[in-house]
Short mmCIF file of all heavy atoms in Angstrom, two decimals:
data_model
loop_
_atom_site.label_atom_id
_atom_site.label_comp_id
_atom_site.label_asym_id
_atom_site.label_seq_id
_atom_site.Cartn_x
_atom_site.Cartn_y
_atom_site.Cartn_z
N VAL A 695 45.19 -16.13 17.69
CA VAL A 695 44.23 -16.52 18.75
C VAL A 695 42.78 -16.26 18.32
O VAL A 695 41.92 -17.10 18.55
CB VAL A 695 44.55 -15.72 20.05
CG1 VAL A 695 43.51 -16.00 21.12
CG2 VAL A 695 45.96 -16.10 20.57
N LYS A 696 42.55 -15.17 17.62
CA LYS A 696 41.26 -14.86 17.11
C LYS A 696 40.73 -15.92 16.15
O LYS A 696 39.59 -16.32 16.18
CB LYS A 696 41.17 -13.49 16.50
CG LYS A 696 41.20 -12.36 17.50
CD LYS A 696 41.10 -11.04 16.83
CE LYS A 696 41.12 -9.93 17.84
NZ LYS A 696 41.02 -8.59 17.19
N ALA A 697 41.66 -16.41 15.28
CA ALA A 697 41.27 -17.48 14.33
C ALA A 697 40.91 -18.74 15.08
O ALA A 697 39.99 -19.45 14.75
CB ALA A 697 42.43 -17.72 13.32
N TRP A 698 41.66 -19.02 16.12
CA TRP A 698 41.47 -20.21 16.93
C TRP A 698 40.10 -20.08 17.66
O TRP A 698 39.31 -21.02 17.68
CB TRP A 698 42.59 -20.36 17.93
CG TRP A 698 42.52 -21.52 18.85
CD1 TRP A 698 42.10 -22.78 18.57
CD2 TRP A 698 42.82 -21.49 20.24
NE1 TRP A 698 42.19 -23.55 19.70
CE2 TRP A 698 42.62 -22.80 20.73
CE3 TRP A 698 43.26 -20.55 21.12
CZ2 TRP A 698 42.85 -23.18 22.05
CZ3 TRP A 698 43.54 -20.88 22.42
CH2 TRP A 698 43.33 -22.18 22.91
N VAL A 699 39.85 -18.90 18.22
CA VAL A 699 38.55 -18.66 18.89
C VAL A 699 37.41 -18.80 17.91
O VAL A 699 36.34 -19.36 18.21
CB VAL A 699 38.56 -17.28 19.59
CG1 VAL A 699 37.17 -16.88 20.01
CG2 VAL A 699 39.50 -17.31 20.77
N ARG A 700 37.59 -18.26 16.69
CA ARG A 700 36.56 -18.37 15.63
C ARG A 700 36.28 -19.86 15.31
O ARG A 700 35.11 -20.29 15.15
CB ARG A 700 37.05 -17.62 14.43
CG ARG A 700 35.92 -17.09 13.57
CD ARG A 700 36.37 -16.18 12.41
NE ARG A 700 37.78 -16.28 11.96
CZ ARG A 700 38.71 -15.39 12.17
NH1 ARG A 700 38.43 -14.32 12.87
NH2 ARG A 700 39.97 -15.56 11.72
N GLU A 701 37.32 -20.67 15.24
CA GLU A 701 37.19 -22.07 14.98
C GLU A 701 36.42 -22.81 16.11
O GLU A 701 35.54 -23.64 15.85
CB GLU A 701 38.61 -22.72 14.85
CG GLU A 701 38.61 -24.10 14.32
CD GLU A 701 40.02 -24.54 14.08
OE1 GLU A 701 40.90 -23.73 13.75
OE2 GLU A 701 40.27 -25.77 14.25
N LEU A 702 36.71 -22.44 17.34
CA LEU A 702 36.00 -23.07 18.46
C LEU A 702 34.55 -22.62 18.52
O LEU A 702 33.67 -23.34 18.89
CB LEU A 702 36.70 -22.71 19.77
CG LEU A 702 38.01 -23.44 20.08
CD1 LEU A 702 38.63 -22.98 21.38
CD2 LEU A 702 37.75 -24.95 20.15
N ARG A 703 34.31 -21.36 18.10
CA ARG A 703 32.93 -20.88 18.11
C ARG A 703 32.11 -21.63 17.06
O ARG A 703 30.99 -22.00 17.26
CB ARG A 703 32.93 -19.33 17.79
CG ARG A 703 31.50 -18.77 17.86
CD ARG A 703 31.62 -17.21 17.83
NE ARG A 703 32.00 -16.71 19.15
CZ ARG A 703 33.02 -15.96 19.36
NH1 ARG A 703 33.84 -15.61 18.39
NH2 ARG A 703 33.31 -15.56 20.58
N GLU A 704 32.73 -21.91 15.90
CA GLU A 704 32.07 -22.72 14.88
C GLU A 704 31.79 -24.11 15.38
O GLU A 704 30.73 -24.67 15.13
CB GLU A 704 32.93 -22.76 13.63
CG GLU A 704 32.30 -23.50 12.48
CD GLU A 704 30.99 -22.94 11.94
OE1 GLU A 704 30.83 -21.70 11.95
OE2 GLU A 704 30.12 -23.74 11.57
N ALA A 705 32.73 -24.71 16.12
CA ALA A 705 32.52 -26.03 16.71
C ALA A 705 31.34 -25.98 17.67
O ALA A 705 30.55 -26.93 17.71
CB ALA A 705 33.79 -26.52 17.40
N ALA A 706 31.26 -24.93 18.45
CA ALA A 706 30.13 -24.80 19.39
C ALA A 706 28.77 -24.74 18.69
O ALA A 706 27.81 -25.35 19.10
CB ALA A 706 30.30 -23.53 20.26
N PHE A 707 28.76 -24.01 17.57
CA PHE A 707 27.51 -23.98 16.80
C PHE A 707 27.15 -25.36 16.24
O PHE A 707 25.99 -25.78 16.27
CB PHE A 707 27.61 -23.01 15.62
CG PHE A 707 27.70 -21.56 16.04
CD1 PHE A 707 28.44 -20.65 15.29
CD2 PHE A 707 27.03 -21.09 17.15
CE1 PHE A 707 28.52 -19.31 15.72
CE2 PHE A 707 27.10 -19.75 17.59
CZ PHE A 707 27.85 -18.88 16.83
N GLN A 708 28.17 -26.10 15.77
CA GLN A 708 27.93 -27.45 15.32
C GLN A 708 27.42 -28.36 16.40
O GLN A 708 26.47 -29.20 16.19
CB GLN A 708 29.18 -28.06 14.73
CG GLN A 708 29.61 -27.43 13.38
CD GLN A 708 30.97 -27.96 12.93
OE1 GLN A 708 31.65 -28.70 13.61
NE2 GLN A 708 31.32 -27.63 11.69
N ILE A 709 27.96 -28.24 17.58
CA ILE A 709 27.51 -29.06 18.75
C ILE A 709 26.04 -28.73 19.03
O ILE A 709 25.24 -29.63 19.26
CB ILE A 709 28.39 -28.80 20.00
CG1 ILE A 709 29.78 -29.35 19.75
CG2 ILE A 709 27.75 -29.42 21.22
CD1 ILE A 709 30.80 -28.96 20.82
N GLU A 710 25.72 -27.42 19.08
CA GLU A 710 24.34 -27.05 19.31
C GLU A 710 23.40 -27.64 18.31
O GLU A 710 22.29 -28.13 18.64
CB GLU A 710 24.20 -25.49 19.35
CG GLU A 710 24.78 -24.85 20.56
CD GLU A 710 24.80 -23.34 20.47
OE1 GLU A 710 24.47 -22.79 19.38
OE2 GLU A 710 25.02 -22.71 21.53
N ASP A 711 23.79 -27.60 17.06
CA ASP A 711 22.95 -28.18 15.95
C ASP A 711 22.73 -29.66 16.15
O ASP A 711 21.63 -30.17 16.03
CB ASP A 711 23.57 -27.89 14.60
CG ASP A 711 23.54 -26.43 14.22
OD1 ASP A 711 22.80 -25.65 14.87
OD2 ASP A 711 24.30 -26.04 13.28
N VAL A 712 23.78 -30.39 16.46
CA VAL A 712 23.69 -31.83 16.62
C VAL A 712 22.80 -32.19 17.87
O VAL A 712 21.98 -33.05 17.76
CB VAL A 712 25.09 -32.47 16.82
CG1 VAL A 712 25.00 -33.91 17.27
CG2 VAL A 712 25.84 -32.42 15.49
N VAL A 713 23.02 -31.49 18.95
CA VAL A 713 22.20 -31.76 20.11
C VAL A 713 20.74 -31.46 19.84
O VAL A 713 19.82 -32.23 20.22
CB VAL A 713 22.74 -30.98 21.35
CG1 VAL A 713 21.75 -31.06 22.53
CG2 VAL A 713 24.10 -31.51 21.75
N ASP A 714 20.45 -30.29 19.16
CA ASP A 714 19.06 -29.97 18.85
C ASP A 714 18.45 -30.99 17.92
O ASP A 714 17.30 -31.42 18.13
CB ASP A 714 18.99 -28.60 18.23
CG ASP A 714 19.29 -27.49 19.17
OD1 ASP A 714 19.22 -27.73 20.44
OD2 ASP A 714 19.53 -26.33 18.73
N GLU A 715 19.21 -31.42 16.91
CA GLU A 715 18.69 -32.44 15.96
C GLU A 715 18.42 -33.76 16.69
O GLU A 715 17.40 -34.36 16.47
CB GLU A 715 19.73 -32.65 14.83
CG GLU A 715 19.30 -33.67 13.84
CD GLU A 715 20.34 -33.96 12.82
OE1 GLU A 715 21.40 -33.31 12.81
OE2 GLU A 715 20.15 -34.88 12.03
N TYR A 716 19.33 -34.14 17.55
CA TYR A 716 19.15 -35.40 18.30
C TYR A 716 17.89 -35.33 19.17
O TYR A 716 17.09 -36.25 19.13
CB TYR A 716 20.36 -35.64 19.17
CG TYR A 716 20.22 -36.81 20.09
CD1 TYR A 716 20.38 -38.09 19.62
CD2 TYR A 716 20.03 -36.62 21.44
CE1 TYR A 716 20.24 -39.19 20.47
CE2 TYR A 716 19.91 -37.70 22.32
CZ TYR A 716 19.99 -38.97 21.84
OH TYR A 716 19.88 -40.05 22.63
N THR A 717 17.75 -34.20 19.91
CA THR A 717 16.59 -34.06 20.79
C THR A 717 15.28 -34.09 20.00
O THR A 717 14.36 -34.82 20.34
CB THR A 717 16.68 -32.77 21.58
OG1 THR A 717 17.97 -32.76 22.26
CG2 THR A 717 15.59 -32.65 22.55
N LEU A 718 15.22 -33.35 18.91
CA LEU A 718 14.07 -33.29 18.12
C LEU A 718 13.69 -34.66 17.49
O LEU A 718 12.56 -35.10 17.55
CB LEU A 718 14.18 -32.23 16.97
CG LEU A 718 13.01 -32.05 16.03
CD1 LEU A 718 11.82 -31.51 16.77
CD2 LEU A 718 13.39 -31.19 14.87
N ARG A 719 14.67 -35.27 16.90
CA ARG A 719 14.40 -36.53 16.16
C ARG A 719 14.10 -37.69 17.15
O ARG A 719 13.20 -38.50 16.89
CB ARG A 719 15.62 -36.87 15.28
CG ARG A 719 15.62 -35.93 14.10
CD ARG A 719 16.78 -36.13 13.17
NE ARG A 719 16.67 -37.38 12.44
CZ ARG A 719 17.64 -37.84 11.66
NH1 ARG A 719 18.74 -37.16 11.48
NH2 ARG A 719 17.48 -39.01 11.12
N ILE A 720 14.75 -37.75 18.31
CA ILE A 720 14.43 -38.77 19.28
C ILE A 720 13.05 -38.54 19.81
O ILE A 720 12.23 -39.48 19.97
CB ILE A 720 15.46 -38.75 20.41
CG1 ILE A 720 16.77 -39.44 19.97
CG2 ILE A 720 14.91 -39.47 21.66
CD1 ILE A 720 16.65 -40.93 19.72
N TYR A 721 12.66 -37.29 20.08
CA TYR A 721 11.31 -36.97 20.55
C TYR A 721 10.27 -37.43 19.56
O TYR A 721 9.25 -38.04 19.89
CB TYR A 721 11.20 -35.49 20.83
CG TYR A 721 9.80 -35.08 21.23
CD1 TYR A 721 9.33 -35.31 22.56
CD2 TYR A 721 8.95 -34.43 20.34
CE1 TYR A 721 8.04 -34.96 22.90
CE2 TYR A 721 7.64 -34.10 20.67
CZ TYR A 721 7.23 -34.37 21.99
OH TYR A 721 5.96 -33.98 22.36
N ASN A 722 10.55 -37.16 18.22
CA ASN A 722 9.58 -37.57 17.18
C ASN A 722 9.47 -39.07 17.15
O ASN A 722 8.39 -39.64 16.92
CB ASN A 722 10.00 -36.98 15.85
CG ASN A 722 9.74 -35.51 15.76
OD1 ASN A 722 8.90 -34.98 16.49
ND2 ASN A 722 10.39 -34.86 14.84
N LEU A 723 10.62 -39.79 17.21
CA LEU A 723 10.56 -41.23 17.20
C LEU A 723 9.80 -41.82 18.36
O LEU A 723 9.06 -42.79 18.23
CB LEU A 723 11.98 -41.83 17.10
CG LEU A 723 12.62 -41.80 15.73
CD1 LEU A 723 14.07 -42.30 15.84
CD2 LEU A 723 11.88 -42.67 14.75
N VAL A 724 10.03 -41.27 19.55
CA VAL A 724 9.34 -41.74 20.73
C VAL A 724 7.82 -41.53 20.54
O VAL A 724 7.02 -42.43 20.90
CB VAL A 724 9.88 -41.10 22.02
CG1 VAL A 724 9.02 -41.35 23.17
CG2 VAL A 724 11.30 -41.59 22.29
N ALA A 725 7.50 -40.41 19.99
CA ALA A 725 6.05 -40.10 19.80
C ALA A 725 5.47 -41.05 18.81
O ALA A 725 4.32 -41.56 18.95
CB ALA A 725 5.89 -38.67 19.35
N GLN A 726 6.21 -41.41 17.77
CA GLN A 726 5.77 -42.39 16.72
C GLN A 726 5.57 -43.77 17.36
O GLN A 726 4.61 -44.45 17.09
CB GLN A 726 6.72 -42.46 15.61
CG GLN A 726 6.42 -41.63 14.42
CD GLN A 726 7.40 -41.92 13.29
OE1 GLN A 726 8.40 -42.63 13.44
NE2 GLN A 726 7.11 -41.33 12.15
N LYS A 727 6.52 -44.13 18.19
CA LYS A 727 6.51 -45.48 18.82
C LYS A 727 5.28 -45.68 19.72
O LYS A 727 4.64 -46.69 19.74
CB LYS A 727 7.76 -45.71 19.69
CG LYS A 727 8.90 -46.27 18.98
CD LYS A 727 9.98 -46.56 20.01
CE LYS A 727 11.28 -46.98 19.35
NZ LYS A 727 12.29 -47.22 20.33
N HIS A 728 4.96 -44.64 20.47
CA HIS A 728 3.89 -44.73 21.48
C HIS A 728 2.54 -44.28 20.95
O HIS A 728 1.59 -44.22 21.69
CB HIS A 728 4.32 -43.91 22.72
CG HIS A 728 5.51 -44.46 23.39
ND1 HIS A 728 5.55 -45.71 23.89
CD2 HIS A 728 6.73 -43.95 23.58
CE1 HIS A 728 6.73 -45.94 24.41
NE2 HIS A 728 7.51 -44.88 24.23
N HIS A 729 2.51 -43.93 19.64
CA HIS A 729 1.25 -43.58 19.08
C HIS A 729 0.38 -44.85 18.96
O HIS A 729 0.87 -45.90 18.49
CB HIS A 729 1.43 -42.98 17.70
CG HIS A 729 0.21 -42.41 17.07
ND1 HIS A 729 -0.79 -43.15 16.53
CD2 HIS A 729 -0.15 -41.13 16.92
CE1 HIS A 729 -1.75 -42.35 16.10
NE2 HIS A 729 -1.37 -41.11 16.31
N PRO A 730 -0.87 -44.83 19.43
CA PRO A 730 -1.65 -46.04 19.45
C PRO A 730 -1.93 -46.54 18.02
O PRO A 730 -2.19 -45.74 17.13
CB PRO A 730 -2.97 -45.63 20.12
CG PRO A 730 -2.97 -44.15 20.12
CD PRO A 730 -1.57 -43.70 19.98
N HIS A 731 -1.77 -47.83 17.82
CA HIS A 731 -2.00 -48.44 16.56
C HIS A 731 -3.36 -49.18 16.56
O HIS A 731 -3.52 -50.06 17.37
CB HIS A 731 -0.89 -49.49 16.22
CG HIS A 731 0.49 -48.84 16.30
ND1 HIS A 731 0.94 -47.94 15.44
CD2 HIS A 731 1.49 -49.06 17.21
CE1 HIS A 731 2.16 -47.59 15.75
NE2 HIS A 731 2.52 -48.27 16.85
N HIS A 732 -4.27 -48.82 15.71
CA HIS A 732 -5.57 -49.44 15.65
C HIS A 732 -5.87 -49.95 14.23
O HIS A 732 -6.91 -49.69 13.71
CB HIS A 732 -6.65 -48.46 16.08
CG HIS A 732 -6.49 -47.99 17.51
ND1 HIS A 732 -6.57 -48.83 18.60
CD2 HIS A 732 -6.21 -46.75 17.99
CE1 HIS A 732 -6.39 -48.13 19.73
NE2 HIS A 732 -6.15 -46.88 19.38
N HIS A 733 -4.82 -50.54 13.65
CA HIS A 733 -5.02 -51.03 12.28
C HIS A 733 -5.87 -52.31 12.28
O HIS A 733 -6.50 -52.62 11.28
CB HIS A 733 -3.67 -51.29 11.62
CG HIS A 733 -2.81 -50.07 11.50
ND1 HIS A 733 -3.16 -49.01 10.71
CD2 HIS A 733 -1.67 -49.74 12.07
CE1 HIS A 733 -2.19 -48.09 10.82
NE2 HIS A 733 -1.29 -48.49 11.67
N GLY A 734 -5.78 -53.05 13.30
CA GLY A 734 -6.47 -54.32 13.31
C GLY A 734 -5.63 -55.46 12.77
O GLY A 734 -5.98 -56.62 12.89
N PHE A 735 -4.54 -55.08 12.10
CA PHE A 735 -3.67 -56.11 11.52
C PHE A 735 -2.37 -56.18 12.33
O PHE A 735 -1.64 -55.16 12.47
CB PHE A 735 -3.34 -55.80 10.06
CG PHE A 735 -4.51 -55.83 9.15
CD1 PHE A 735 -5.09 -54.62 8.73
CD2 PHE A 735 -5.15 -56.98 8.76
CE1 PHE A 735 -6.15 -54.57 7.88
CE2 PHE A 735 -6.22 -56.98 7.93
CZ PHE A 735 -6.77 -55.80 7.50
N VAL A 736 -2.08 -57.33 12.87
CA VAL A 736 -0.87 -57.49 13.68
C VAL A 736 0.36 -57.26 12.84
O VAL A 736 1.32 -56.67 13.26
CB VAL A 736 -0.90 -58.85 14.35
CG1 VAL A 736 0.35 -59.09 15.11
CG2 VAL A 736 -2.12 -59.02 15.26
N ILE A 737 0.34 -57.73 11.61
CA ILE A 737 1.54 -57.67 10.75
C ILE A 737 1.83 -56.20 10.45
O ILE A 737 3.02 -55.80 10.37
CB ILE A 737 1.35 -58.49 9.45
CG1 ILE A 737 2.65 -58.60 8.69
CG2 ILE A 737 0.28 -57.85 8.55
CD1 ILE A 737 3.54 -59.59 9.27
N VAL A 738 0.84 -55.33 10.28
CA VAL A 738 1.11 -53.92 10.00
C VAL A 738 1.73 -53.24 11.20
O VAL A 738 2.70 -52.48 11.06
CB VAL A 738 -0.22 -53.22 9.60
CG1 VAL A 738 -0.03 -51.70 9.45
CG2 VAL A 738 -0.76 -53.78 8.29
N ASP A 739 1.25 -53.56 12.39
CA ASP A 739 1.83 -53.02 13.60
C ASP A 739 3.27 -53.46 13.78
O ASP A 739 4.14 -52.68 14.15
CB ASP A 739 1.02 -53.43 14.86
CG ASP A 739 -0.36 -52.70 14.88
OD1 ASP A 739 -0.50 -51.69 14.20
OD2 ASP A 739 -1.21 -53.24 15.63
N PHE A 740 3.47 -54.73 13.49
CA PHE A 740 4.83 -55.28 13.61
C PHE A 740 5.82 -54.64 12.59
O PHE A 740 6.91 -54.20 12.98
CB PHE A 740 4.79 -56.81 13.35
CG PHE A 740 6.14 -57.44 13.36
CD1 PHE A 740 6.83 -57.61 14.60
CD2 PHE A 740 6.74 -57.91 12.23
CE1 PHE A 740 8.06 -58.23 14.66
CE2 PHE A 740 8.00 -58.54 12.28
CZ PHE A 740 8.65 -58.67 13.48
N LEU A 741 5.37 -54.44 11.39
CA LEU A 741 6.19 -53.74 10.40
C LEU A 741 6.46 -52.30 10.74
O LEU A 741 7.55 -51.80 10.54
CB LEU A 741 5.56 -53.87 8.99
CG LEU A 741 5.54 -55.24 8.36
CD1 LEU A 741 4.74 -55.24 7.07
CD2 LEU A 741 6.94 -55.78 8.17
#
């Protein structure tokens, strides 16, 4: 039972890592998307 509990605890740590990574990376992408673009070139903004 202790080995099983240890395995579930490891899974919980993995879940926390994935959720944290998802939250951080999505936040960064949203910030990048909404950052104002003032390049003057439409093609650069599009790319």
Side-chain angles (χ1 to χ4, degrees):
V695 173
K696 285 183 179 180
W698 179 42
V699 167
R700 208 173 21 252
E701 190 175 329
L702 285 176
R703 186 169 281 121
E704 181 62 34
F707 292 147
Q708 289 175 352
I709 292 170
E710 288 174 347
D711 291 345
V712 167
V713 169
D714 289 345
E715 178 184 356
Y716 173 77
T717 305
L718 178 68
R719 290 177 67 185
I720 283 292
Y721 176 77
N722 287 339
L723 279 175
V724 168
Q726 264 185 352
K727 273 186 186 179
H728 297 298
H729 190 283
H731 306 293
H732 298 295
H733 299 293
F735 296 105
V736 175
I737 192 78
V738 173
D739 290 341
F740 178 72
L741 291 175

